[in-house]
Amino acid sequence: MNVPASERRLYIKTYGCQMNVYDSERLADTLRPLGYRLAEDPAGADLVVLNTCHIREKAAEKVYSELGQLARLKAQKAAAGEAMLVAVAGCVAQAEGAEIVARQPAVDLVVGPQAYHRLPELIARTHRAAGERLAADFAPEEKFDSLPERTSSAVTAFLTVQEGCDKFCSFCVVPYTRGSEFSRAPAAIEAEARALVARGAREITLLGQNVNAYAGEGGLAGLIRRLAKIPGLARLRYTTSHPRDMTDELIGAHAEVEALMPYLHLPVQAGSDRVLKAMNRGHTAGDYLRLVEKIRRARPDIALSGDFIAGFPGEREADFEATLDLAREVAYASAFSFKYSRRPGTPAAQAPGQIPEALKAERLARLQAVLEESQAAFNAAQVGRVLPVLIDKPGRDAGQVAGRSPYLQAVHGQGPQSLIGQVVPVRIASAGRNSLAGALQLAPA
Ligand code: SAH
Ligand code: SF4
Ligand code: F3S
């Protein structure tokens, strides 16, 4: 059956990190010239892409249960004479490749993160096999250079500047799924940033698996200073940073660049030197704490965020308590924490001293109690302050708008939708665990 190019529908489901969010948006941009518009749900789509994550077992398994549902939908559609292509993209695609098709034959295409620019060509080929031709004249060049112009008109946008990882933490699949570190050229990044700002972006978050390992000219600090000059761009953020790559130049930028927001996601994973060594993190707890001190000297109000793993192989009670101590000492404004998940092919998966599930769960709960307490304290400390909030969307209730504080806290208050895209002072009236509420300080008309 031939679907007219004007009516092709695409549904993308995104798992995992912000880089996948960026990639999904770029995938949609890539497919737009083929006539694909976004569908609301898989049922209304001719092409479904799952952009997957391999970081923990649960994330990867979710993909297969979703694929099972899609296989049923595809069979129903086929019975009704409708075709639907199913594509798997992202880190599961990279890690498991052809195994995916073996496990779920309904999958038509598997495409890894470095090959998204080839998706139109792959789809054209699949359609041709099914009797349909699509005109696709994308040269399979390097990923970023061959992606089309951004079409996002969101107030806040992601921009990938660095991809891949050379750190090989012993628990982590990323170096295998995303490959070695690659940095885009500053000029290409600036051009993309300018295009985003021209379409309405006020805030850009620079992305990289190790964003502060950005190796383009001038490093990440140089890039931030360059982008901060773009007229109309109010805010810059970056994520995720590795403690080993936190240079003095970058710390200095936090003190000097006004557009650079006082928020830093700086994963530590654990607070015990024994465990950090086994993780191959390349830093001690002391190194990390000294770094935090230095960053806070440069930018005293900075909100710190982190990632933690509970129950790494060989983690003893005393090791875990060192993690709790570090978490208390840093007093994170927010944090992500996970039970250690054994990932095939990574060194830690083979390590002795694997921790039973129940103990991992118990430790995670204790850790999360500490992290939630400091997050609540950080949020509560904002009550009474006036914070500049970038309004980026309508609020949940009628007459409300919502946005983010400099510290990345969600903030909502009463105000007209016309404020979306503006930075508005908000007097914070109350703080919950995950958001703040306040009164917008609007100048009298
Ligand atoms: N590049 C980033 C993080 C990438 S993965 C960094 O180095 O900080 C995001 C987070 O997932 C990691 O920080 C880690 O806390 C968690 N993670 C990675 N592998 C994991 C595993 N096998 N089990 C549990 N958590 C894991
Ligand atoms: Fe994974 Fe470590 Fe690389 Fe982060 S630095 S992506 S945790 S290997
Ligand atoms: Fe997941 Fe790949 Fe990101 S494994 S966390 S989607 S880099």
Side-chain angles (χ1 to χ4, degrees), residues 187-204:
I189 295 165
E190 185 182 334
E192 190 172 327
R194 285 186 182 273
L196 286 166
V197 172
R199 299 186 69 97
R202 303 297 318 281
E203 173 180 295
I204 292 178

Side-chain angles (χ1 to χ4, degrees), residues 42-353:
D46 313 297
L47 168 62
V48 176
V49 180
L50 299 187
N51 195 4
T52 62
C53 174
H54 202 244
I55 201 81
R56 284 168 291 274
E57 191 178 351
K58 248 199 212 143
E61 284 308 312
K62 247 191 252 164
V63 173
Y64 286 101
S65 66
E66 184 74 32
L67 283 175
Q69 289 177 31
L70 288 175
R72 283 188 289 280
L73 179 63
K74 186 174 172 169
Q76 283 165 16
K77 286 192 161 196
E82 289 171 41
M84 181 174 91
L85 290 179
V86 177
V88 177
C91 291
V92 176
Q94 189 64 33
E96 299 186 6
E99 280 170 52
I100 299 172
V101 187
R103 228 175 121 176
Q104 181 46 267
V107 173
D108 299 287
L109 293 168
V110 177
V111 55
Q114 304 315 323
Y116 291 156
H117 53 291
R118 297 193 52 220
L119 195 61
E121 178 202 317
L122 286 170
I123 287 170
R125 233 191 273 151
T126 313
H127 274 276
R128 271 201 292 281
E132 194 189 342
R133 283 205 63 193
L134 283 180
D137 49 349
F138 281 77
E141 289 156 24
E142 187 271 314
K143 173 176 173 180
F144 294 101
D145 290 347
S146 35
L147 291 174
E149 273 256 315
R150 294 285 293 255
T151 59
S152 156
S153 53
V155 172
T156 60
F158 291 135
L159 203 179
T160 296
V161 304
Q162 182 277 341
E163 216 177 324
C165 180
D166 298 334
K167 304 282 190 298
F168 290 92
C169 300
S170 61
F171 50 81
C172 182
V173 295
V174 171
Y176 312 98
T177 63
R178 293 278 172 167
S180 54
E181 289 179 4
F182 165 80
S183 297
R184 298 177 65 191
I189 295 165
E190 185 182 334
E192 190 172 327
R194 285 186 182 273
L196 286 166
V197 172
R199 299 186 69 97
R202 303 297 318 281
E203 173 180 295
I204 292 178
T205 301
L206 307 178
L207 298 181
Q209 262 91 30
N210 287 279
V211 72
N212 57 347
Y214 176 76
E217 204 194 323
L220 187 62
L223 184 66
I224 286 167
R225 287 177 193 273
R226 177 173 179 157
L227 299 179
K229 294 194 188 108
I230 298 175
L233 183 60
R235 293 180 165 190
L236 277 166
R237 303 179 184 277
Y238 60 93
T239 199
T240 294
S241 297
H242 194 288
R244 263 156 67 190
D245 295 316
M246 208 62 217
T247 63
D248 288 347
E249 288 74 30
L250 187 53
I251 296 171
H254 275 286
E256 290 162 19
V257 180
E258 207 191 323
L260 183 58
M261 290 295 103
Y263 176 93
L264 177 63
H265 185 61
L266 193 66
V268 67
Q269 316 298 355
S272 143
D273 289 345
R274 241 190 91 244
V275 171
L276 286 168
K277 188 151 191 265
M279 286 178 164
N280 192 31
R281 286 291 291 179
H283 61 79
T284 63
D287 294 335
Y288 184 87
L289 291 170
R290 278 187 292 279
L291 181 60
V292 163
E293 213 182 290
K294 206 189 225 182
I295 294 163
R296 283 188 165 143
R297 267 202 304 275
R299 183 75 207 222
D301 67 333
I302 201 159
L304 289 172
S305 151
D307 289 349
F308 292 87
I309 294 178
F312 186 79
E315 182 185 77
R316 302 175 190 141
E317 173 63 22
D319 295 315
F320 177 66
E321 279 169 19
T323 299
L324 295 180
D325 289 344
L326 182 140
R328 280 192 204 97
E329 183 160 349
V330 174
Y332 288 91
S334 72
F336 301 91
S337 48
F338 314 96
K339 282 186 286 183
Y340 169 70
S341 170
R342 244 173 133 160
R343 307 308 291 129
T346 60
Q350 307 305 324

Side-chain angles (χ1 to χ4, degrees), residues 419-441:
L419 294 173
I420 292 172
Q422 292 185 41
V423 178
V424 177
V426 178
R427 184 173 297 281
I428 305 302
S430 65
R433 198 207 283 173
N434 292 314
S435 71
L436 307 177
L440 280 67
Q441 312 288 292

